[in-house]
Amino acid sequence: MGRITDRIAALGLQLPPPLIIPDGADLPFAFAHRVGTRVLIAGHGPQGSDGTLVGPFGKVGTEVDISAARHAAGLTGLSMLASVQAEIGDLDRIVGWGRVFGMVNSAPGFHAQPEVINGFSEIIYRIFGTDIGRHVRSAIGVAELPWNLSVEIEGELLIDG
């Protein structure tokens, strides 16, 4: 096992298996794509230990509370790492995070999107530390997300040559 894989286990966390695509969905794209020393990560949602998308589902601010959505953002980070690992093999190859774009399925008038996406940032800092885990980030509210997810996050990171 590598250093990052060991760190994930030591934190009591687990990367999910490959996504089980929801019935009726067609997703003809890569979940992570290496381009030189960059890895582009498609929008991800939270996954369970069986590979399915998990809740909470619905609009944050009415159907979903901030704490539950924040937890979903952390699970989304683990989902993203699983896709990156499938693309590059060893997560120890990650030398830095670039940017993160967080989308929150927001009820009208909900303005705490950054607090929700903090769940993602916290998990990345816990796993990678503040040097490698450091990233720029946006957190926005959207009217809807696929499959009524409460959060969806995409990003970009850097790997060794």
Side-chain angles (χ1 to χ4, degrees), residues 1 4-16 49 71 74-79 81 119-120 122-128:
M1 292 178 97
I4 296 300
T5 304
D6 289 346
R7 178 77 178 142
I8 291 168
L11 290 169
L13 303 171
Q14 182 178 349
L15 299 183
S49 60
H71 179 72
L75 290 178
T76 301
L78 296 174
S79 176
L81 285 174
F120 169 87
E122 290 165 356
I123 208 88
I124 295 304
Y125 287 137
R126 288 177 66 202
I127 293 169
F128 291 95

Side-chain angles (χ1 to χ4, degrees), residues 43-86:
H44 280 65
Q47 287 179 252
S49 60
D50 64 353
T52 61
L53 292 170
V54 296
F57 299 97
K59 294 201 176 297
V60 182
T62 54
E63 302 161 305
V64 177
D65 67 35
I66 291 174
S67 177
R70 187 179 185 128
H71 179 72
L75 290 178
T76 301
L78 296 174
S79 176
M80 293 167 73
L81 285 174
S83 292
V84 169
Q85 184 176 48

Side-chain angles (χ1 to χ4, degrees), residues 3-140:
R3 176 182 48 83
I4 296 300
T5 304
D6 289 346
R7 178 77 178 142
I8 291 168
L11 290 169
L13 303 171
Q14 182 178 349
L15 299 183
L19 176 67
I20 295 175
I21 298 172
D23 288 340
D26 181 23
L27 304 177
F29 56 85
F31 295 116
H33 177 62
R34 178 183 173 188
V35 180
T37 58
R38 296 172 35 207
V39 178
L40 308 174
I41 309 164
H44 280 65
Q47 287 179 252
S49 60
D50 64 353
T52 61
L53 292 170
V54 296
F57 299 97
K59 294 201 176 297
V60 182
T62 54
E63 302 161 305
V64 177
D65 67 35
I66 291 174
S67 177
R70 187 179 185 128
H71 179 72
L75 290 178
T76 301
L78 296 174
S79 176
M80 293 167 73
L81 285 174
S83 292
V84 169
Q85 184 176 48
E87 178 70 9
I88 68 169
D90 186 357
L91 294 176
D92 288 352
R93 295 187 62 200
I94 298 171
V95 297
W97 281 80
R99 64 167 194 86
V100 174
F101 182 67
M103 296 162 276
V104 179
N105 187 355
S106 298
F110 181 75
H111 302 285
Q113 292 85 2
E115 187 174 338
V116 170
I117 302 303
N118 282 349
F120 169 87
S121 295
E122 290 165 356
I123 208 88
I124 295 304
Y125 287 137
R126 288 177 66 202
I127 293 169
F128 291 95
T130 55
D131 288 337
I132 293 175
R134 185 174 185 228
H135 55 274
V136 298
R137 188 188 87 185
S138 295
I140 66 164

